[in-house]
Amino acid sequence: MQRITILGATGSIGVNTLDVIARHPERFEVFALAANRDIDRLFEQCQRFKPRYAVLADAQAAATLRARMGELAGCPTQVLAGAQALIEVAGASEVDCVVAGIVGSAGLLPTLAAARGGKRILLANKEALVMAGALFLAEVKRNGATLVPVDSEHNAVYQCLPPQFGQRPLAELGVRRILLTASGGPFRCRPLEELHSVTPAQACAHPNWVMGRKISVDSATLMNKGLELIEACLLFDVEADRVEAVIHPQSIVHALVEYMDGSLLAQLGNPDMRTPLAHALATPERIVSGTRPLDLLSALRLEFEAPDHRRFPCLNLAYKAMQAGGSAPAILNAANEVAVGAFLQERLRFTDIPVVIEHTLEAVTAGVAADLDQLLAVDRDARRVAERAVADRAGRR
Ligand code: NDP
């Protein structure tokens, strides 16, 4: 029986995780469910899964949830509030496994707490890894934690690697390249001159996946793939020139690993996050996920093409940050979070997202982030610069 904390329980990753967990009550027990302020969904989840703790980062929302839970007879769940409580339920000694499903940099500190607690971390929150990179991995190693990728592409790579992964470098295992696929998002074929006027609703209408709003916009700009390239270098300990992005509009092949002998191993499946989540929850065993099996005879087409860098300038910005190293990925991530947030609030045009990120990367000096305080200071600086750039672009509209 694995005891699980789910960070970001009310989001797309959290809901899909609970869907898989509900199919296997003999294997998994929910210890804590944590979110920001979605009282209604967390209340329903508590009624169903009866966790020991429910946490909301927003104190007022937590007070409302506590009052509602108090009306339930015999409910074992204690409601906690605030960022510190998130850290506590991620690192608690009773927990075996933590699903890192908070969106954005808000997930960094609780995910780090899971690393410090030596937990098995099912990592969806790519921003935490991109931001903290080497610092985060050092905590994982020092405390004997385990990282299992949940991002569908990285989980696919993980499935295509030999069992000796982790004991020897990939080059010694004969791996030549890692290819991450990208659908190209909702604007892959839209005339370039129309992109400046696309709306948040259009950007969030992903052709193949149903996801949270931030990652949906990241998929439309391809910054999601950029963050994933950085994530792959860190997770699999490979150089930037060994990881590439390939457009694959059908989202059936999630990633490929090319070996020296000419073999290309791929993981295929219908685009449904329950597959990588079930894999990550149970590996090395396999369990039922609820995903519809892939029907190879249903006129399935698999197409691949190179990304168009004029359409997707964010991809090159991510490459640049990855190659610069140090705190550059944290600056990229902070600028992207600010720009995407402003776009979702209709304060910034879609085509200005890369403009704000590029400006921030140029304006904030990247260096070595030796500790968490330095890293958080760089993150704050980058957000300040990006906010100013957003205001500047808004003034010109
Ligand atoms: P959603 O927007 O659907 O959900 C985000 C979750 O994070 C919600 O539970 C939200 O709580 C919680 N949250 C937000 N801010 C805070 C905060 N300050 N403190 C505590 N909790 C907070 O996002 P997704 O599920 O789509 O994505 C989550 C992460 O997983 C992202 O990093 C994304 O890149 C990654 N990922 C997602 C995939 C997907 O299919 N969705 C695929 C691969 C990776 P509340 O609801 O209360 O606001």
Side-chain angles (χ1 to χ4, degrees):
M1 182 65 87
Q2 278 194 65
R3 276 204 209 119
I4 302 186
T5 284
I6 303 179
L7 303 169
T10 52
S12 160
I13 288 291
V15 167
N16 278 307
T17 306
L18 286 169
D19 185 287
V20 177
I21 284 178
R23 294 166 196 271
H24 304 279
E26 74 296 349
R27 277 181 175 262
F28 305 113
E29 183 184 321
V30 180
F31 176 78
L33 294 175
N36 189 19
R37 57 166 73 103
D38 187 344
I39 303 165
D40 291 338
R41 187 163 263 174
L42 196 56
F43 181 69
E44 277 169 28
Q45 292 177 338
C46 289
Q47 281 182 297
R48 179 153 183 222
F49 292 94
K50 304 195 172 14
R52 184 140 7 133
Y53 297 105
V55 186
L56 284 172
D58 183 295
Q60 216 174 338
T64 309
L65 180 67
R66 195 173 294 123
R68 280 177 68 179
M69 298 289 286
E71 291 163 13
L72 286 180
C75 180
T77 306
Q78 193 181 334
V79 179
L80 307 176
Q84 185 55 34
L86 287 169
I87 291 173
E88 281 159 19
V89 294
S93 58
E94 298 95 321
V95 172
D96 305 302
C97 169
V98 174
V99 178
I102 291 178
V103 61
S105 58
L108 176 62
L109 296 181
T111 308
L112 259 182
R116 289 179 177 144
K119 308 300 179 198
R120 178 180 161 90
I121 303 171
L122 273 48
L123 186 77
N125 180 205
K126 63 194 89 182
E127 297 92 343
L129 183 62
V130 167
M131 240 182 115
L135 282 175
F136 181 74
L137 293 179
E139 290 293 353
V140 167
K141 201 167 171 190
R142 187 175 312 128
N143 297 288
T146 312
L147 270 185
V148 188
V150 160
D151 224 341
S152 58
E153 297 78 359
H154 304 73
N155 182 269
V157 170
Y158 192 78
Q159 294 196 42
C160 295
L161 289 176
Q164 299 89 337
F165 164 63
Q167 294 147 34
R168 290 164 62 194
L170 288 198
E172 279 182 26
L173 296 174
V175 173
R176 190 184 278 152
R177 271 192 319 162
I178 288 175
L179 300 170
L180 304 181
T181 59
S183 69
F187 306 138
R188 184 175 62 91
C189 300
R190 189 173 279 235
L192 284 180
E193 60 278 10
E194 288 180 16
L195 289 184
H196 75 283
S197 59
V198 297
T199 64
Q202 290 167 332
C204 289
H206 196 282
N208 306 331
W209 296 94
V210 181
M211 308 181 286
R213 280 160 68 78
K214 193 261 179 185
I215 185 175
S216 296
V217 177
D218 285 348
S219 299
T221 62
L222 237 68
M223 178 55 91
N224 184 46
K225 214 47 51 182
L227 297 175
E228 288 180 5
L229 291 169
I230 301 173
E231 184 185 7
C233 289
L234 292 161
L235 282 176
F236 303 116
D237 193 19
V238 286
E239 307 84 47
D241 59 1
R242 281 180 189 265
V243 188
E244 282 175 41
V246 180
I247 302 289
H248 166 49
Q250 291 83 15
S251 299
I252 295 292
V253 176
H254 302 299
L256 306 98
V257 177
E258 185 185 287
Y259 286 86
M260 281 168 192
D261 61 6
S263 299
L264 197 55
L265 300 195
Q267 188 260 356
L268 283 73
N270 277 318
D272 186 325
M273 283 309 292
R274 290 175 298 178
T275 296
L277 281 162
H279 173 266
L281 281 163
T283 190
E285 290 172 38
R286 297 273 178 174
I287 57 172
V288 165
S289 67
T291 299
R292 192 167 45 84
L294 182 62
D295 179 2
L296 287 179
L297 304 181
S298 64
L300 187 65
R301 283 204 341 250
L302 300 178
E303 295 161 308
F304 300 92
E305 59 193 61
D308 171 354
H309 289 279
R310 224 158 54 95
R311 180 179 294 277
F312 300 118
C314 283
L315 196 55
N316 270 337
L317 294 173
Y319 266 117
K320 264 195 210 164
M322 176 163 64
Q323 264 145 359
S327 57
I331 297 168
L332 174 93
N333 178 65
N336 183 55
E337 285 191 26
V338 168
V340 171
F343 168 68
L344 285 171
Q345 292 163 0
E346 302 190 49
R347 291 190 288 125
L348 190 73
R349 286 186 195 284
F350 182 77
T351 41
D352 280 340
I353 294 174
V355 177
V356 168
I357 299 169
E358 185 165 25
H359 169 79
T360 310
L361 279 170
E362 280 165 10
V364 181
T365 312
V368 181
D371 58 34
L372 192 58
D373 288 343
Q374 276 185 23
L375 187 75
L376 295 176
V378 170
D379 176 73
R380 276 194 302 273
D381 279 354
R383 280 168 203 273
R384 221 175 2 247
V385 170
E387 278 296 358
R388 238 182 287 131
V390 167
D392 185 41
R393 305 300 301 177
R396 289 192 219 166
R397 282 170 75 172

